[in-house]
Amino acid sequence: MGSRAAVRGRVPDAAVVVRADAAPGDPAQDGSGGAPAGSRAGAGPDAPATASPHADAEPADPAPDGSAAGLAEVAYYRAGSAASAMSPELVPRAAAWAGRVLHLTGITPALSAGCLALVRELTAPSLPGRPLLSFDVNYRVGLWRDTAEGPAVLAELARRCDLVFVGEDEAEAAWGLHGPSAIRAALPEPDVLVVKRGAAGAVAYVRERGAGPAAADAPGEPVSEERTSAERGGPAPRTPGTGRSPAPAAPTDRVVSVPALRVDVVAPVGAGDAFAAGFLSGVLRGLDVRARLRHGHLMAAAALTAAGDLGVPPRRADADRLAALDDAAWGRLRLGPGWTDRPPAAEAPYAEVEDRTA
């Protein structure tokens, strides 16, 4: 739930209207269902920065680097939180499906049986009125420690969605899959699969069939072609959570790879959610896949160069200008703390921004 709130907290700054459904006692109301204490002030009228009032709450996601410094440490309180009380009865599907895109994460179904039932309800396939369903796997070992079904559940939910984000490291931890091709071979169902590779960048597998998210791709867009292990005739990886070999990935996949930016990291928390927010803002604006990936990297850089998990996003004009750089200029770009406060493109040439962020 905290992950979903983090994505929501960034998308509006990319000039996209975003709605968050909050039932009474939702963590967006009480600050306890994943909100990092002390870090969300100003994120919105429904997101107070208050500590968890639940005696049994426990931090599930400390800072990945284990740091205890106030700059980087973010604790998410989920056990016994208001979010764990969510269910299909509390969140009507019609209300959740009212927008163009519904973004979900693998954290929500880990909170309770009711939350899992809700996410299954919201990802029901082949029903009228279903929006584009986005799903970030967000595998957290600690949240699934009471059951061995976590990886299988996350694979099931991912297969029911149109757009899926997954980290290369979490795919290995959850499903024993190594590399983007193996992940795509094991998850062939989503129209778009985005594999986040950390400092190595991100790769998107886009099913080309003339409709859906891939239809906005511009002709002649630079792509990095890659084939899955099944297409190369090699051994197919097991299907996540089942031990069975999956069906071969669709041969019509187009693969778009964009390298990550060079960033002077202040705190690593929230970069994955920020990446998803940037990519989704590009989806809603109809940008091509390469631009969506670049906007994802830029939003991740905003999070990485700020304390806490909600960095100030770049202005839309600045983000568009940087996302449009040629490959050589993109590779030279280096971003440090405060880079999102640079003057917008209309007031300063790119060279000034590059010099000041080197």
Side-chain angles (χ1 to χ4, degrees):
M1 191 66 187
S3 174
R4 189 189 71 177
V7 172
R8 172 177 62 90
R10 293 180 178 89
V11 173
D13 296 294
V16 175
V17 176
V18 178
R19 189 190 76 187
D21 293 312
D26 184 284
Q29 306 280 357
D30 70 9
S32 64
S39 72
R40 293 195 190 277
D46 63 343
T50 58
S52 171
H54 299 281
D56 61 344
E58 54 190 78
D61 291 329
D65 62 358
S67 63
L71 278 177
E73 185 175 16
V74 177
Y76 293 85
Y77 294 87
R78 296 192 177 104
S81 68
S84 65
M86 291 192 300
S87 68
E89 292 73 33
L90 268 180
V91 184
R93 185 171 61 202
W97 279 12
R100 291 167 55 195
V101 175
L102 174 62
H103 180 69
L104 302 166
T105 88
I107 289 174
T108 305
L111 299 180
S112 66
C115 286
L116 174 56
L118 172 62
V119 177
R120 281 180 168 148
E121 172 81 5
L122 295 179
T123 57
S126 304
L127 290 179
R130 171 176 149 145
L132 185 147
L133 291 183
S134 169
F135 183 72
D136 194 333
V137 171
N138 266 319
Y139 178 54
R140 299 292 185 267
V141 177
L143 293 177
W144 295 99
R145 61 178 174 270
D146 295 330
T147 175
E149 298 300 314
V153 168
L154 294 175
E156 169 208 337
L157 296 172
R159 291 195 179 97
R160 295 158 68 105
C161 295
D162 308 299
L163 165 61
V164 171
F165 300 93
V166 62
E168 191 172 27
D169 55 346
E170 63 187 345
E172 181 176 353
W175 304 316
L177 298 173
H178 303 279
S181 293
I183 298 169
R184 180 50 162 171
L187 294 175
E189 292 86 357
D191 290 334
V192 180
L193 173 70
V194 178
V195 180
K196 298 172 291 184
R197 310 189 68 193
V203 57
Y205 290 81
V206 182
R207 179 160 303 146
E208 298 217 89
R209 60 186 186 187
D217 295 348
E221 173 186 316
V223 299
S224 172
E225 296 297 337
E226 184 177 332
R227 293 189 301 163
T228 66
S229 59
E231 290 173 303
R232 291 193 303 265
R238 71 178 187 271
T239 300
T242 69
R244 298 191 302 269
S245 293
T252 55
D253 268 356
R254 183 162 55 89
V255 184
V256 184
S257 181
V258 172
L261 293 164
R262 291 184 297 161
V263 176
D264 296 328
V265 177
V266 173
V269 181
D273 297 330
F275 181 94
F279 190 95
L280 287 170
S281 72
V283 170
L284 290 167
R285 294 173 58 198
L287 303 182
D288 61 58
V289 174
R290 177 173 174 268
R292 297 174 197 177
L293 289 169
R294 284 194 168 190
H295 276 275
H297 284 313
L298 289 166
M299 291 293 284
L304 289 168
T305 54
D309 71 337
L310 284 178
V312 177
R315 299 178 183 88
R316 179 167 172 171
D318 285 341
D320 285 344
R321 175 172 54 87
L322 295 177
L325 293 172
D326 60 41
D327 290 343
W330 178 265
R332 291 194 303 268
L333 190 60
R334 180 170 180 173
L335 303 174
W339 72 270
T340 57
D341 293 328
R342 303 293 181 253
E347 299 174 20
Y350 167 69
E352 283 189 32
V353 176
E354 182 179 18
D355 290 342
R356 293 168 66 179
T357 58

